[in-house]
């Protein structure tokens, strides 16, 4: 079987699924515990299982872009047809490329050599107000338009072109957005019919419009409630920090279904903290400042602290392996007027 034959076979299988599957603010004072703030509640509400109720719903798709194909991949996103910004419940979108960051703040695209290393070198990131808003989009015409699925011919063309740029099929992952903090954007980039109108030549990558710092946590179900409460009870000065855009603790939605969705394995993070910054300099300024030290329990004691008291032991870890930081540059930012 030739490579093209394999591609067309996979495309035909995918097109059947594409027409049938469905899936299922945060103003705070400067110093604030990370308690959830939604339209209906200003307290940390929990479910019957003791887990935090979601503030937002986050849909991601993880791509493994072939070597040397980054600019072409970005051009496909820049020139696609989408009504995303006009849809009910839409809050925020960006496409992000994984990077390595040195001590001087220089970012280098982390392409990955082997297929396993390349997985996730690009991620699409969309925030919805509610899960039902996301489900309505995914089962509607706007989704098919954005993914070339208005006809079998268009969908097949999209699939073949994807195979030339990607190493394997995309891997979607969905999350409950918890403890959301967001600033109101000073400016909102212009969209045309719900999508960004930017120049993309397929040779140069698109300009960086934000910096994203993530920390991946591997938390077992029996520790999930305690892990969430630990984050809910910590103090944060993020909104005081220059260049801060938004924060969310993202809990993997293991109940999500649909084409391409696979069960959460023990080797994947069940939680991911995601902080969006205006640029990498803003992130480094926070990381090297007192706000970071205070949030992570390494700040200096206050002037009224009892110096005879012994330092408290650090809390027990609630994860199965150490957290793994991952960094991205974001482009094609689309945001609602009130932010994430």
């Amino acid at each position: 079987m030739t490579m093209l034959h394999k591609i067309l076979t996979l495309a035909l299988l995918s097109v059947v699924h594409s027409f049938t599957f469905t899936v299922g603010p945060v103003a705070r004072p400067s110093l604030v515990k990370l308690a959830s703030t939604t339209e209906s509640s200003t307290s940390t509400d929990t479910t019957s299982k003791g887990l935090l109720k979601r503030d937002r719903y986050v849909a991601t798709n993880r791509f493994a872009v072939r070597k040397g194909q980054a600019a072409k991949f970005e051009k496909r996103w820049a020139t696609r047809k989408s009504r995303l910004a006009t849809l009910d419940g839409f809050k925020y979108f960006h496409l992000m490329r994984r990077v390595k960051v040195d001590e001087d703040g220089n970012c280098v695209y982390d392409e990955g050599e082997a297929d396993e290393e390349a997985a996730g070198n690009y991620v699409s990131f969309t925030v919805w107000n509610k899960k039902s808003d996301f489900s309505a989009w995914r089962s509607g015409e706007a989704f098919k338009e954005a993914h070339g699925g208005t006809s079998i011919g268009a969908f097949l063309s999209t699939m073949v072109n994807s195979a030339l740029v990607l190493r394997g099929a995309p891997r979607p992952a969905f999350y409950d957005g918890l403890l959301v903090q967001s600033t109101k954007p000073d400016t909102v980039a212009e969209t045309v019919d719900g999508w960004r109108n930017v120049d993309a030549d397929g040779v140069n990558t698109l300009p960086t419009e934000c910096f994203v710092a993530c920390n991946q946590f591997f938390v077992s179900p029996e520790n999930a409630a305690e892990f969430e409460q630990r984050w809910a009870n910590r103090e944060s000065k993020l909104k005081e920090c220059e260049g801060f855009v938004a924060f969310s603790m993202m809990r993997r939605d293991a109940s999500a279904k649909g084409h391409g969705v696979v069960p959460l394995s023990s080797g994947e993070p069940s939680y991911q903290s995601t902080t969006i910054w205006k640029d990498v300099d803003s992130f480094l300024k926070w990381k090297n400042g007192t706000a970071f030290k205070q949030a992570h329990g390494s700040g200096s004691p206050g002037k009224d602290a009892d110096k005879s008291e012994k330092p408290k032991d650090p809390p027990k870890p609630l994860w199965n392996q150490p957290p793994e930081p991952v960094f991205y540059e974001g482009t094609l930012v689309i945001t609602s007027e009130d932010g994430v």
Side-chain angles (χ1 to χ4, degrees), residues 83-99:
R83 296 186 261 144
L84 188 64
T86 68
L87 301 177
D88 290 342
F90 168 78
K91 301 297 293 183
Y92 180 90
F93 169 85
H94 65 227
L95 178 69
M96 52 192 188
R97 53 183 172 254
R98 190 176 61 202
V99 295

Side-chain angles (χ1 to χ4, degrees), residues 166-319:
L166 300 177
R167 310 191 209 187
R171 298 178 57 205
F174 308 107
Y175 301 86
D176 295 323
L178 314 175
L179 305 171
V180 172
Q181 294 189 71
S182 176
T183 57
K184 188 173 182 178
D186 294 329
T187 59
V188 176
E190 181 184 2
T191 59
V192 177
D193 298 326
W195 192 247
R196 289 287 300 276
N197 183 24
V198 300
D199 292 328
D201 59 14
V203 177
N204 302 290
T205 55
L206 297 172
T208 300
E209 298 178 351
C210 65
F211 180 80
V212 187
C214 301
N215 216 358
Q216 299 178 335
F217 298 92
F218 302 80
V219 181
S220 58
E222 61 269 20
N223 289 330
E226 187 177 353
F227 175 80
E228 292 180 12
Q229 286 302 317
R230 186 173 290 179
W231 275 85
N233 292 326
R234 71 189 302 185
E235 292 184 336
S236 170
K237 288 188 175 181
L238 279 174
K239 291 190 71 174
E240 283 186 354
C241 297
E242 182 181 354
F244 169 74
V245 176
F247 168 87
S248 177
M249 172 57 72
M250 294 170 22
R251 176 180 63 212
R252 185 73 174 266
D253 180 8
S255 67
K257 301 184 185 303
H259 181 61
V261 180
V262 297
L264 177 66
S265 69
S266 58
E268 290 191 88
S270 49
Y271 288 85
Q272 177 174 293
S273 65
T274 299
T275 311
I276 305 172
W277 297 91
K278 179 181 177 181
D279 49 40
V280 66
D281 290 339
S282 299
F283 163 72
L284 291 175
K285 186 176 181 179
W286 166 78
K287 183 177 181 294
N288 297 325
T290 57
F292 174 87
K293 295 176 181 178
Q294 291 173 354
H296 293 78
S298 57
S300 301
K303 63 180 181 179
D304 297 327
D306 186 350
K307 294 181 174 55
S308 65
E309 290 184 2
K310 294 182 179 180
K312 294 181 180 180
D313 293 331
K316 67 175 183 178
L318 297 173
W319 45 80

Side-chain angles (χ1 to χ4, degrees), residues 116-173:
E116 185 175 344
E117 295 172 346
N121 56 18
Y122 272 83
V123 180
S124 64
F125 180 91
T126 313
V127 181
W128 297 90
N129 189 40
K130 297 181 293 185
K131 185 175 181 178
S132 58
D133 296 324
F134 163 72
S135 298
W137 166 76
R138 199 174 185 189
S139 60
E141 291 300 315
F143 176 87
K144 295 176 183 178
E145 289 174 3
H147 293 79
T150 51
S151 69
I152 290 181
F155 193 86
L156 285 174
S157 176
T158 299
M159 292 296 294
V160 171
N161 290 332
S162 295
L164 298 175
V165 174
L166 300 177
R167 310 191 209 187
R171 298 178 57 205

